[in-house]
Amino acid sequence: ERRITCSVKSPASIDAVWDAWTTPEGIISFFAPACNIDIRVGGLYEILFDLEAPPGDRGAEDMHILALQPGVMLSFTWNAPPELRKVRGQYTHVTIRFHEVSKVETEVTLFHDGFGEGGEWEQAYRYFVRAWKKVVLPRLKYRFVQGPLDWDNLPDLSNIRLP
């Protein structure tokens, strides 16, 4: 099965990186300008990218946590962007694993699977290869190197390369 796998090392403790993915303050510091999260299995994991869009088109709405192990693993449902209407309602899965490299460095490995084949699924897959590798994980690293993102003045991340 097709699967996106990518990782990044962030200069922060595992607790700080875990909090970045699992608290509203953390999410807003690198992932999206707003969120609704309830960190428990079955809890909401909504990541809202476009607050001006109508409900249903604001981002990863009505996503839920599938599994979690604090400081080790977080897994949640995910959907395609609003412009890919045929596959948007068919959820995929994201699992994030946290590995302590040292007390001040954490490696985050992201796995995204559950993609169908053909049509809009191909577009969704290509979209997420770029989104995770060129946007989300570089923003996570930036957040711990430079500080939280300013959503009105996004930084150039082209110099942040992932392995």
Side-chain angles (χ1 to χ4, degrees):
E1 177 168 342
R2 257 187 322 185
R3 175 188 210 179
I4 298 167
T5 302
C6 49
S7 63
V8 66
K9 289 182 181 174
S10 291
S13 71
I14 202 162
D15 291 338
V17 177
W18 173 259
D19 286 350
W21 286 93
T22 61
T23 67
E25 299 80 18
I27 296 293
I28 292 167
S29 76
F30 85 97
F31 202 170
C35 64
N36 295 309
I37 58 175
D38 178 12
I39 295 300
R40 63 180 176 81
V41 173
L44 278 177
Y45 197 77
E46 293 185 321
I47 308 299
L48 308 174
F49 300 102
D50 185 355
L51 304 178
E52 302 299 319
D57 288 348
R58 296 178 298 169
E61 295 168 88
D62 201 33
M63 300 299 102
H64 291 87
I65 295 171
L66 297 170
L68 61 90
Q69 184 179 5
V72 177
M73 179 270 301
L74 172 67
S75 182
F76 48 88
T77 57
W78 203 244
N79 61 353
E83 61 270 18
L84 300 177
R85 290 281 178 212
K86 293 179 183 174
V87 297
R88 182 159 169 81
Q90 301 181 55
Y91 300 158
T92 56
H93 321 97
V94 174
T95 299
I96 301 166
R97 298 224 170 246
F98 303 82
H99 173 73
E100 183 178 80
V101 176
S102 73
K103 295 293 182 195
V104 295
E105 185 175 43
T106 301
E107 183 173 30
V108 171
T109 303
L110 181 144
F111 306 95
H112 188 171
D113 65 7
F115 295 95
E117 295 181 15
E120 285 188 353
W121 281 115
E122 302 307 317
Q123 292 172 267
Y125 180 81
R126 286 191 308 272
Y127 174 91
F128 285 115
V129 166
R130 182 192 171 286
W132 297 126
K133 292 181 178 185
K134 303 281 186 186
V135 180
V136 178
L137 291 185
R139 283 180 179 173
L140 176 69
K141 184 170 186 173
Y142 179 94
R143 184 263 174 265
F144 287 108
V145 172
Q146 299 292 328
L149 268 70
D150 173 355
W151 292 101
D152 293 322
N153 187 24
L154 292 173
D156 175 13
L157 302 171
S158 60
N159 63 334
I160 298 178
R161 302 273 185 239
L162 302 183

